[in-house]
Each structure stands twice: as C-alpha cells, then as structure tokens.
Amino acid sequence: MGKEDVGITVSKKEDFSEWYTQVVLKAKLADYAPVKGLIVLRPDGYSIWESLRDTFDKKFSKNGIRNGFLPILIPESLLGKEQKHFAGFNPEVFWVTHSGTNEVGDRLALRPTSETLAYTLYSKWIQSWRDLPLKINFWNTALRAEIKATKPFLRTSEFLWQEGHTVHTTKEEAEKEVMKILDIYKNTVEEELAIPVTTGKKSEKEKFVGAVYTTTMESIMPDGKALQMGTSHFLGQNFSKPFEVKFADKDNVEHFAWQTSWGVSWRLIGAMIMAHGDDKGLVLPPKVAPIQVVIVPIYRNEEGENKVMPKVEEIRNQLEAKEIRVSIDDREGLSPGYKFNDWEMKGVPLRIEIGPKDLEKDSMIVAKRYNSEKLTINFAEIEKIFAILDEIQIEMLKKARKDADSNTINISNYTDFKSKIEKGGFFNSPWCGKLECEDKIKEETGAEIRVIPFESEDTSQKCIYCQEQSASIPIFARGY
C-alpha cells in the first residue's frame, strides 16, 4: 500500500483546500461520482446526515411541522409564475427536454428549489382559516448546475437538504416562525456539530430573491472564509399573491396568506470537517459520530486472543446497553499502530485499547481523538466513558468558539480593512446601510456582508467606506 493511500499528505495550515479534499475521501465520507460536480455519499457520511436529520425531525415535530415529499420535475410554465424569484436560479437550472426520443413540450426543470411547486399545491389545499397554519418540511435533493469550482459537501451540482414551507393567517405568526426555525438551526449546529454560529439578517442585496427579508446563520472557517450554514426567510405575501395562496377568515372574507421558507443542506457536514479536522484526518463530535467508541484488542497469538476477547465483548455490551455506538476492530494482519492511525483518520471520538497487560491491571487505555489525550480507566469504572464523551462534545465547541473569536476583527479603517482581508476572517465594520458602499467594498476587496447580527444597530460611528453616519455593524468576509 502506497503512502498516498494511508494518511493525509498535506498540512491543514499549508494547503487547506487539498487537505479538506483528502479528508473527505480518505475518511470515506464521500467519493466523486462519474458525472462532474456530483458526489456519492458513503455510509459514514450518510450516517452523519441521518443523525442531523433525526435531530431536526424531532425538533420540527414539536413545532407542529410534518414531513412531505415533492417530485423533482417542475414545468417551465409553472416556474414563470414568479419571474423575479426564478431569474436568480435560471443560469443554474438543469432542463429535461426529451422523454426517450420525444420532446416533452413544456420543458421540465430539475428542482433547484421548490417554492413554485409547493405553493401551486398549497393554493389547492388551503381554503379557510381552519387549514392554517400549514407547516410542511421536505427532505429532498436539489440540483443546480455549478459553474464555479466544485468541492464535496460545500459546492456540488446535486445536494441533500431539507426545505420547509409554512403558511400562516397573520404576518406576526409567520415572522415568529422564521425566528423559531433559526433558533432550531443555531441550537442544533452548536449542540450537535460543535460549531459556533452568528445569527442575524442578510442585507437587501444578499437576501433570498422573493423574500421580504432573510435571516441567516454564518460561521467562520479555519482558513478565514465564511460559510453560510442555513437560512430562514420571511416571504410575506410575495408568493401567496402570484400563486393565489388564499384563505377565508371566520367572517368568510378572503385574504392572501403569509409565508416562510427555510433550509439547511449537507454543507453542514463540510463545515464540521473544516472546523474540527486536523493533519491526522477527521475529528468527529460524539453526538453525530457513526461510531463513538472503537475497541482495539491487542494480542500476539491465539492464547492472547482467548484471554482478551471475552473482556472486549463484555465492554462492548456494557457500552451498547447505554446506547453508545461501538465497534471492535478485530481485523487480522494489521498492526495495532495501523489500526490506531486508521481510526484517527476516521475521527472516532474515543479509542479503547485492551491487551493482556491491561487485563492484569484490571484496566484499559482510553485515547481521546480531539486532543490525543490518553487515560487509564479501571474496568469497573466503565461509566466514565459516558462522561468523557459528554466532555469531548463540550470542549470541541469551546475550542471552535475560541478559534472563531481569534478569527474575528473589529475594524473601522478601510485601508486596514483592505490590507487584512487577504488573510481572511470575520470583520465587524460600521456601514451606512447604502447599497453603493456594499457594492464598492465587494468590488474592491471581494468581501461581502455575510450577516447583520441582531441588535447590531449603531449610529455612533462612521461607515467604513463613505465615512457617513453608520447604521449598523455587519460582518464582512469572503465566503465559500
């Protein structure tokens, strides 16, 4: 086996892009598909997505949201109902023009997003106030012909995501829904993936086309680039009017409904890889790890195996009884060192080593993946494993938050802004609120307003670009 097949061959600090791709492939999360821009999700990668999906589903369900399914093909005539919205997606749309050798007539788009399809159906399903609120979430794939450089999980022409679409009788109720979903997203990403996020609104320039406003959560990655982690949109009546999503109130007076839409994608997995991985490979937060504990039995002969394996099985059974996800690495012909490196590559949070000498001491060696710390724990103290996993989850978020803070800068001088933006980071900078300044900053530096944090209004400073009175302190950054 060649060196290129075994470990990560580049440093995370020296070649972040290549490091990231190697981790995705060598940790066996995903692989490239035969079609450019598409990837295949391998079992470990899909398991992480399933874990997130299960968590979101539980939280959505508590909020009265149910799951549905939408087909992938959308007629072009339907998309034309909301021209302004669809124009933003048009360059990225895949079109189906033939069925076998016959032309289909009305071209069919492979779903870039589902607003037009969902709301055409909603207009049929909603008649009166008794039908509201209507809250449906769809676990779909979406397809967008990426023209930029593709990268697994971060930018692909097909991706897994969820998109929710809700309908309400009042503006106030719809806006509350927008914030409820954003809170669900924020809490899940921080608690499950151990990645800190900043929440707020997009600028008018960067908001979702068709939305009244867009709320977002953004994270800063170790290479200094920003990553949009999820969005929740207040659509107002911008879609209910062209799609005639109406309801009759208690007095039988007809009104246009108020709507929201929101979504996250498998981009979250890419963020997790970047935020926590190191030069040995993947580092997984315990809550989403497909395998939380791997046990590596160590013995040289059959006699050693007969002594060690009963204890290994006993430890596995004890852990699984507490719903810990466990694997035993009893592969033949591989050294313990090779196995250690292999599991470090895959990012398993805890490794347990048990050999004949450990049996004599009535203890086992426990190695933490995220900081390489090793502990010796008595077999009778197996419950400590549960506490260690909880501790790892907490400490990974603390470390990621510390890294994000060190990559965040308060800066109000435009000359300094331009000189430091090359190194990347979150830049908290005063802005007057004018599109002209936003455009000029992006044109001259490549940085855009990623998020205007909630309660970031500030009229006490001068706009970093035009020096007029500031309106807020948004976060500027270059992004993925």
Side-chain angles (χ1 to χ4, degrees):
M1 183 177 289
K3 180 181 178 182
E4 70 276 9
D5 297 321
V6 179
I8 305 299
T9 60
V10 296
S11 166
K12 183 178 182 180
K13 288 184 178 181
E14 293 176 2
D15 191 343
F16 190 84
S17 179
E18 174 62 18
W19 167 86
Y20 173 84
T21 301
Q22 287 195 25
V23 172
V24 170
L25 299 178
K26 294 185 178 184
K28 299 181 180 179
L29 297 179
D31 203 350
Y32 291 111
V35 177
K36 187 180 185 301
L38 305 184
I39 62 171
V40 176
L41 210 53
R42 301 184 70 172
D44 277 356
Y46 195 72
S47 176
I48 296 168
W49 181 246
E50 285 181 309
S51 178
L52 290 169
R53 188 182 66 191
D54 291 346
T55 299
F56 282 128
D57 272 343
K58 288 174 184 176
K59 294 181 178 181
F60 291 161
S61 179
K62 288 181 180 179
N63 196 38
I65 298 163
R66 300 184 67 191
N67 287 334
F69 174 78
L70 289 171
I72 199 169
L73 297 175
I74 306 174
E76 184 176 16
S77 57
L78 196 60
L79 293 168
K81 280 193 173 184
E82 221 299 321
Q83 292 283 359
K84 184 179 177 182
H85 163 71
F86 182 63
F89 289 105
N90 200 37
E92 301 176 339
V93 173
F94 288 103
W95 293 102
V96 174
T97 59
H98 287 75
S99 173
T101 59
N102 300 318
E103 291 189 9
V104 295
D106 190 4
R107 289 193 304 172
L108 302 172
L110 293 177
R111 174 182 52 234
T113 185
S114 298
E115 278 80 4
T116 55
L117 179 58
Y119 304 158
T120 297
L121 297 168
Y122 282 11
S123 69
K124 293 168 56 179
W125 300 344
I126 297 169
Q127 302 299 323
S128 84
W129 62 274
R130 295 182 182 86
D131 300 319
L132 298 177
L134 179 63
K135 303 181 182 182
I136 305 180
N137 174 63
F138 303 96
W139 291 98
N140 291 331
T141 61
L143 292 99
R144 299 175 189 173
E146 285 290 351
I147 57 176
K148 300 178 182 178
T150 58
K151 188 166 285 293
F153 296 114
L154 301 179
R155 191 175 293 281
T156 52
S157 291
E158 181 181 22
F159 52 89
L160 285 172
W161 75 341
Q162 58 76 211
E163 51 177 315
H165 300 276
T166 71
V167 188
H168 306 267
T169 57
T170 67
K171 176 176 181 286
E172 293 73 22
E173 185 180 275
E175 289 190 285
K176 285 181 181 179
E177 190 73 15
V178 169
M179 293 308 302
K180 283 180 186 177
I181 296 300
L182 191 66
D183 286 342
I184 287 173
Y185 285 163
K186 175 183 171 66
N187 293 336
T188 301
V189 169
E190 293 190 339
E191 294 169 5
E192 303 284 317
L193 295 176
I195 301 174
V197 300
T198 300
T199 55
K201 288 185 177 181
K202 287 288 190 183
S203 67
E204 279 293 306
K205 173 184 171 63
E206 298 295 335
K207 74 177 183 181
F208 177 61
V209 178
V212 176
Y213 61 79
T214 290
T215 65
T216 184
M217 59 177 182
E218 301 278 330
S219 291
I220 187 70
M221 295 295 105
D223 64 344
K225 289 183 180 179
L227 188 68
Q228 180 178 287
M229 305 284 280
T231 49
S232 182
H233 315 287
F234 174 57
L235 304 181
Q237 296 176 318
N238 290 349
F239 284 88
S240 64
K241 289 180 178 179
F243 287 91
E244 298 190 329
V245 181
K246 297 182 288 186
F247 68 96
D249 67 15
K250 294 180 181 180
D251 296 321
N252 206 32
V253 177
E254 200 169 59
H255 303 273
F256 287 107
W258 300 85
Q259 295 180 254
T260 79
S261 69
W262 28 272
V264 296
S265 77
W266 68 13
R267 175 175 282 197
L268 296 179
I269 299 176
M272 178 201 68
I273 297 165
M274 293 191 288
H276 303 305
D278 59 22
D279 288 351
K280 293 181 180 179
L282 193 61
V283 179
L284 290 170
K287 286 189 177 180
V288 297
I291 298 171
Q292 295 170 309
V293 177
V294 61
I295 305 174
V296 181
I298 301 172
Y299 48 80
R300 294 183 177 179
N301 50 41
E302 187 176 346
E303 180 182 357
E305 179 182 2
N306 291 336
K307 289 182 178 179
V308 169
M309 288 309 294
K311 176 57 71 174
V312 167
E313 293 287 355
E314 179 187 331
I315 295 298
R316 175 171 66 177
N317 292 338
Q318 288 177 314
L319 293 174
E320 288 184 338
K322 296 294 184 178
E323 298 187 344
I324 301 297
R325 297 183 289 277
V326 187
S327 178
I328 296 174
D329 189 348
D330 56 0
R331 291 177 291 176
E332 297 181 358
L334 298 175
S335 69
Y338 180 93
K339 293 179 180 180
F340 296 166
N341 291 334
D342 191 35
W343 291 108
E344 285 176 344
M345 171 73 76
K346 294 177 180 178
V348 173
L350 277 184
R351 183 181 73 243
I352 294 176
E353 305 164 19
I354 301 177
K357 292 182 179 180
D358 300 302
L359 294 179
E360 293 173 5
K361 298 175 184 177
D362 204 31
S363 63
M364 54 189 167
I365 295 173
V366 177
K368 300 177 186 177
R369 173 64 181 93
Y370 90 102
N371 66 358
S372 300
E373 180 185 358
K374 283 193 172 186
L375 307 169
T376 299
I377 296 177
N378 291 334
F379 291 134
E381 299 177 316
I382 189 70
E383 72 280 353
K384 285 187 176 181
I385 297 295
F386 317 133
I388 291 172
L389 288 171
D390 290 340
E391 172 206 330
I392 290 172
Q393 188 77 33
I394 293 168
E395 290 302 315
M396 286 183 69
L397 177 58
K398 284 183 180 179
K399 181 181 181 301
R401 201 180 298 280
K402 183 178 179 181
D403 291 343
D405 289 344
S406 68
N407 226 347
T408 301
I409 306 166
N410 295 324
I411 193 163
S412 56
N413 182 282
Y414 192 55
T415 301
D416 291 344
F417 184 103
K418 288 190 290 185
S419 66
K420 293 181 179 180
I421 195 68
E422 292 297 328
K423 294 182 179 179
F426 269 176
F427 286 20
N428 297 319
S429 300
W431 173 55
C432 61
K434 294 179 181 177
L435 176 61
E436 296 90 332
C437 291
E438 184 180 4
D439 281 342
K440 283 292 186 182
I441 291 171
K442 185 171 183 179
E443 178 186 327
E444 295 174 13
T445 70
E448 59 193 357
I449 293 177
R450 302 297 303 189
V451 56
I452 305 171
F454 296 121
E455 300 180 359
S456 66
E457 296 81 4
D458 190 320
T459 58
S460 67
Q461 301 189 54
K462 293 182 179 180
C463 174
I464 191 169
Y465 191 83
C466 71
Q467 293 298 296
E468 294 183 7
Q469 180 179 305
S470 64
S472 62
I473 310 292
I475 293 176
F476 289 85
R478 291 176 177 175
Y480 279 92

